[in-house]
Amino acid sequence: MTNDMLRAPAEVKYAEELDWLESIDDGPKPFSWRLSPKMVRLFVLGSERADGLDREVSQKWFGDRSFVERSIVTLASDRGLLLIGDPGTGKSWLAELLAAAISRNSTLVVQGTAGTTEDHIKYSWNVSMVIAKGQSRASMIPSPIMTAMERGVIGRFEELTRSTSDVQDALISILSEKYISIPELDEDNIVFAQPGFSIIATANSRDRGVNDLSSALKRRFNFVRIPVVTNKKSEAEIVRFRTTELLHRHRIELDVPPNLLDILLQSFADLRAAADSATSDDEKLESALSTAEQIGVLEDAILHSTFFGDRELRAETLAGSLVGSLARRSPEDLAILNKYWHGVVEPRSKQDGGEWPAFLEGGRQAIATLS
């Protein structure tokens, strides 16, 4: 089934594993949850030898255990969960995994944008049916959030701070009253949330000031802040995990040399340090330098090596991919990257050798081409 989808949702991709966890789960389950809280945590963070299971459960999200546990506890209460953090910290992936484990459906999603309206989180109407037969429950089109309420499952709201204050105010009512009124109907005009309903929202901390959350809405959510991964070992695990998935999706067999992965991780660490010490935005790359962007750089280099190279990932290709991905503003970003290449990569290539000289040359050529 996953072969028929460009990107299968977590409940489809890990269906066999979820079925197995359900079959051995004898723990107490809140409301209509498919798995107990302990099994939800196990699904997200993976199994350990001490769990004593007959098979291994893969780790799918890499981060502090306490973040996952607090998220699960929140969803077992009557409060919404807000995952907040910088871009690329895995907020949406964690939300998808939690919804998949708890409800076996992570696709009831509203994407917050400037164009998101109250209808997107409540309901709209099938105009042709309304003209033919009038307004009724049959001619109503429920939003993903309303559908989640009716089914007693998890609904998701991505990029909450990107939506306008009117939409946020409508969400306050849903989180407080746990029902949606339909004033256009005379009968059957209230949709009540069933036990198990909750909302997982995500917010980008860099969007602060776009549409700030009101105090009333903040009170309806428990906040879980997802920090940027700075531990190299953890970040390497995330990059390897996601890259392996991408290679499998593209049906590509190509090894990522550990020394090139180290160069990628070190380069991002260096550029983050430079951004932290910068005194103005002009001295910072526009990129957030997130783990997700590292994965994108590596995927781009792998695909280039497969389609236009000799099916072997090389330092020059990796450098070109990094420059091409991070140089979004010209000339500002190119000047920052050029400074980094001359001030950091060049000395390191002389001192450490290995793949660094080839990485140096590949970056120089990419910068020269874009300048």
Side-chain angles (χ1 to χ4, degrees):
M1 186 174 179
T2 56
N3 293 332
D4 298 331
M5 304 179 189
L6 180 60
R7 180 191 177 279
E11 62 271 16
V12 174
K13 183 175 182 179
Y14 301 109
E16 193 272 335
E17 188 173 274
L18 287 166
D19 287 340
W20 181 76
L21 288 172
E22 277 194 53
S23 70
I24 65 167
D25 189 5
D26 58 0
K29 303 177 183 68
F31 310 117
S32 58
W33 286 29
R34 300 288 293 271
L35 292 175
S36 64
K38 284 187 177 180
M39 284 298 182
V40 173
R41 183 186 65 183
L42 188 71
F43 172 71
V44 174
L45 296 176
S47 60
E48 299 175 352
R49 186 171 296 179
D51 294 317
L53 300 178
D54 294 334
R55 57 175 283 182
E56 181 182 1
V57 177
S58 62
Q59 185 173 3
K60 303 164 191 69
W61 189 81
F62 297 82
D64 195 296
R65 177 182 295 264
S66 64
F67 300 146
V68 177
E69 291 178 350
R70 177 168 168 76
S71 298
I72 295 170
V73 169
T74 294
L75 294 172
S77 70
D78 62 351
R79 296 175 65 81
L81 170 64
L82 179 61
L83 302 174
I84 187 168
D86 283 354
T89 48
K91 304 181 297 296
S92 297
W93 180 232
L94 177 56
E96 180 177 338
L97 289 171
L98 290 169
I102 293 170
S103 305
R104 291 298 288 266
N105 188 348
S106 65
T107 61
L108 297 173
V109 185
V110 173
Q111 182 66 49
T113 67
T116 303
T117 66
E118 191 173 329
D119 292 350
H120 290 120
I121 64 170
K122 287 188 173 180
Y123 58 89
S124 56
W125 298 98
N126 184 320
V127 177
S128 59
M129 288 185 66
V130 170
I131 293 172
K133 299 181 179 180
Q135 290 177 321
S136 66
R137 287 297 295 270
S139 61
M140 190 177 72
I141 303 173
S143 70
I145 299 297
M146 179 181 277
T147 301
M149 294 175 70
E150 290 180 304
R151 296 180 184 175
V153 296
I154 302 295
R156 296 169 53 203
F157 199 122
E158 289 289 310
E159 305 292 352
L160 181 57
T161 49
R162 287 280 173 182
S163 57
T164 62
S165 57
D166 291 344
V167 174
Q168 293 183 20
D169 288 345
L171 196 59
I172 292 175
S173 175
I174 292 173
L175 288 169
S176 299
E177 308 301 333
K178 300 294 191 297
Y179 67 79
I180 294 177
S181 297
I182 311 168
E184 296 92 337
L185 301 181
D186 294 328
E187 298 180 355
D188 195 16
N189 57 2
I190 298 180
V191 173
F192 291 97
Q194 298 301 303
F197 166 72
S198 191
I199 291 177
I200 305 176
T202 64
N204 185 342
S205 54
R206 293 200 174 201
D207 285 340
R208 188 172 297 164
V210 176
N211 288 299
D212 287 333
L213 303 182
S214 66
S215 298
L217 186 55
K218 287 179 180 178
R219 288 197 300 271
R220 270 75 179 179
F221 280 109
N222 274 353
F223 282 55
V224 175
R225 297 187 177 275
I226 309 296
V228 174
V229 179
T230 56
N231 181 280
K232 280 190 178 181
K233 182 179 178 181
S234 298
E235 194 163 43
E237 289 176 339
I238 297 170
V239 174
R240 286 195 196 96
F241 173 76
R242 299 298 287 176
T243 304
T244 300
E245 286 191 328
L246 292 167
L247 288 172
H248 179 71
R249 185 193 304 172
H250 293 294
R251 299 180 182 178
I252 293 174
E253 294 183 6
L254 185 148
D255 292 329
V256 178
N259 53 351
L260 290 186
L261 182 57
D262 289 341
I263 287 177
L264 178 64
L265 294 169
Q266 185 61 56
S267 298
F268 267 72
D270 293 337
L271 290 167
R272 286 170 186 157
D276 290 340
S277 62
T279 57
S280 69
D281 288 341
D282 289 341
E283 297 175 355
K284 298 179 182 179
L285 289 169
E286 189 175 67
S287 164
L289 297 170
S290 66
T291 305
E293 285 171 313
Q294 285 192 66
I295 296 166
V297 168
L298 189 55
E299 181 188 18
D300 178 76
I302 288 171
L303 292 175
H304 194 279
S305 300
T306 301
F307 299 138
F308 303 111
D310 55 3
R311 294 181 175 273
E312 183 177 345
L313 183 60
R314 301 186 184 279
E316 299 94 324
T317 308
L318 183 64
S321 174
L322 189 148
V323 171
S325 298
L326 300 186
R328 300 174 183 176
R329 299 175 302 174
S330 182
E332 293 90 349
D333 285 350
L334 284 172
I336 294 169
L337 288 169
N338 189 53
K339 180 181 178 181
Y340 169 67
W341 240 261
H342 284 286
V344 179
V345 178
E346 185 173 347
R348 189 169 281 144
S349 68
K350 293 177 180 177
Q351 178 180 338
D352 299 341
E355 295 287 355
W356 281 102
F359 185 75
L360 171 67
E361 185 59 29
R364 280 175 171 173
Q365 291 179 7
I367 292 171
T369 301
L370 294 174
S371 298

